[in-house]
Amino acid sequence: MVTFAFKKSWPVHVMGWVLFLLLPLTIVSREPNQNVISKVLTSGYFWRFCLIYVVVFYANTLLFIPKLFLNQRYLLFTATFITGLLLMFYLQPFEKLVFEKFHRAGNQGFQDEGRMPGGPPAHSELEREPPPMRGRNRTPAVDFVSLVLFITVWVIALATKISEQWRLTEKKVILSEADKAQAELSFFKAQINPHFLFNTLNNIYALAVSQSEHTAPSIMKLSRMMRYITDEATEDFVPLEDEIICLENYIDLQRLRLNAKTKVEFNCEGEVRNITIAPLILMTFVENAFKYGVSNRFENRIEIRLNITDGRILFSCKNQIFETDLETESTGIGISNTRKRLDFLYANRYKLEITNDKKQYAVQLELRPEVI
């Protein structure tokens, strides 16, 4: 993960270190002697100064923050920071390794020209007095530049790592939610399929007992439905024409158990080619219609209409209510799962209206599918 993150952000790292290297060179460029910059660039002191802060940054990013800070070992992390700060105070990398070096180079250049910086010509009596330099017996001044640079590099490393960790955490949350939604979708499908099989087998069993001539065709239609459910309906989207064929087979199987008092009307209009739909979405409402809208005593009617126009799928299903527990069942797992599947697969691309006036149950569904 670290390697992958660095591969994506290496231009930013390179640009940051280039700007960092320009800091001492900007200070050096103020000297009158133009040879100072070239001497500093070829100096081991300069590159040692840079290496110190490179080590501070990547040791913090790759070791101290992941192992200590992110593991909530704050006391040890603070001790590491204080130790590094004291080490910078002792080493004084900017003061000793850079500042003093280019001053010596600059003074040497001025001596070669016969004068000291800001002073009279070399033949002056002032030349006999050496410029004020820090002696071995003098207490070295505090290298504030090195300390400030250390704190800055440390804070940048901390901010960079925390930002990277936040992005990874956010990505994991998104992936986790997607996996959860996909798992729920698979679970919903697994619940639907056995229910279809159970009802249809009951119908075919009744035909077989009565030795009906419709038994063999019914088994063939059931076989086609099972093939569709097990092979095609496992996908998130299927061709609309395949879904319609499955609906027709299901309706035909249901008609076998109905008497003359029940009228079933199924109409499909519009061009269905090159349009996809989530499998078994419409089947839930059709199944409810046959479950609660059929009576052997009273005249009843089930209307199922499917209209494809302007790239939209308009579905409606109406039936009378004969079961007293429809309201309880309709809010159960079947309708609830269908709503969740619609939310997941047709987010902001569907409109579902269900009305129940205790006498008639009506479903209006509008889908805006993707055209293939």
Side-chain angles (χ1 to χ4, degrees), residues 16-299:
W17 289 118
V18 168
L19 295 176
F20 181 81
L21 297 181
L22 291 177
L23 174 64
L25 295 180
T26 302
I27 300 176
V28 173
S29 63
R30 298 179 181 177
E31 290 295 324
N33 188 3
Q34 298 179 356
N35 295 328
V36 174
I37 295 180
S38 61
K39 290 183 178 180
V40 169
L41 288 175
T42 57
S43 170
Y45 292 100
F46 174 75
W47 297 108
R48 188 183 305 172
F49 160 80
C50 298
L51 180 62
I52 288 176
Y53 289 100
V54 170
V55 171
V56 169
F57 179 84
Y58 289 108
N60 199 20
T61 302
L62 304 177
L63 181 61
F64 300 140
I65 296 177
K67 301 296 183 181
L68 302 180
F69 185 82
L70 296 181
N71 289 330
Q72 300 182 353
R73 303 171 68 179
Y74 302 124
L75 186 60
L76 190 55
F77 182 75
T78 304
T80 304
F81 170 75
I82 295 176
T83 302
L85 199 63
L86 294 176
L87 191 61
M88 291 299 105
F89 177 83
Y90 174 76
L91 293 178
Q92 296 185 332
F94 188 83
E95 182 73 18
K96 289 185 177 180
L97 305 182
V98 178
F99 190 79
E100 183 177 351
K101 177 63 182 177
F102 74 68
H103 259 285
R104 288 181 179 177
N107 291 337
Q108 182 63 38
F110 289 123
Q111 292 175 6
D112 294 341
E113 296 176 4
R115 61 185 179 86
M116 292 297 295
H123 59 271
S124 173
E125 293 182 359
L126 294 177
E127 183 184 5
R128 301 174 186 177
E129 298 180 5
M133 301 291 292
R134 295 184 180 88
R136 295 182 179 179
N137 297 328
R138 293 184 60 183
T139 303
V142 177
D143 188 0
F144 288 104
V145 176
S146 295
L147 297 180
V148 172
L149 285 177
F150 173 80
I151 296 174
T152 302
V153 171
W154 189 281
V155 171
I156 291 176
L158 184 61
T160 302
K161 196 64 180 179
I162 291 177
S163 176
E164 177 185 330
Q165 190 69 22
W166 178 80
R167 289 194 299 270
L168 290 176
T169 303
E170 187 180 42
K171 185 177 180 180
K172 289 179 180 178
V173 170
I174 295 175
L175 291 176
S176 176
E177 291 178 352
D179 291 340
K180 180 181 177 182
Q182 188 63 38
E184 289 180 350
L185 185 59
S186 300
F187 178 68
F188 299 154
K189 291 178 180 178
Q191 289 177 322
I192 293 173
N193 299 347
H195 199 69
F196 289 154
L197 180 61
F198 176 77
N199 289 340
T200 306
L201 285 176
N202 279 344
N203 295 337
I204 296 177
Y205 173 77
L207 293 175
V209 169
S210 62
Q211 298 181 351
S212 172
E213 60 181 5
H214 299 293
T215 303
S218 299
I219 294 176
M220 179 60 67
K221 291 179 180 180
L222 175 60
S223 175
R224 291 175 180 174
M225 285 186 60
M226 290 296 297
R227 183 178 294 108
Y228 173 77
I229 291 173
T230 56
D231 294 342
E232 298 185 43
T234 55
E235 303 293 333
D236 289 339
F237 295 95
V238 298
L240 178 58
E241 51 190 335
D242 293 347
E243 182 75 5
I244 293 175
I245 293 174
C246 183
L247 279 176
E248 290 175 342
N249 289 333
Y250 179 81
I251 293 172
D252 289 342
L253 290 173
Q254 291 290 344
R255 281 195 175 109
L256 297 176
R257 69 179 181 89
L258 304 177
N259 57 31
K261 293 183 178 297
T262 303
K263 304 297 182 181
V264 179
E265 181 181 351
F266 177 57
N267 291 325
C268 180
E269 299 178 355
E271 182 58 52
V272 300
R273 289 181 299 179
N274 301 326
I275 296 181
T276 61
I277 189 173
L280 306 179
I281 285 286
L282 307 181
M283 188 71 75
T284 302
F285 305 112
V286 174
E287 182 188 17
N288 276 352
F290 281 102
K291 185 175 182 180
Y292 301 108
V294 174
S295 173
N296 294 326
R297 298 173 53 193
F298 306 100
E299 297 288 337

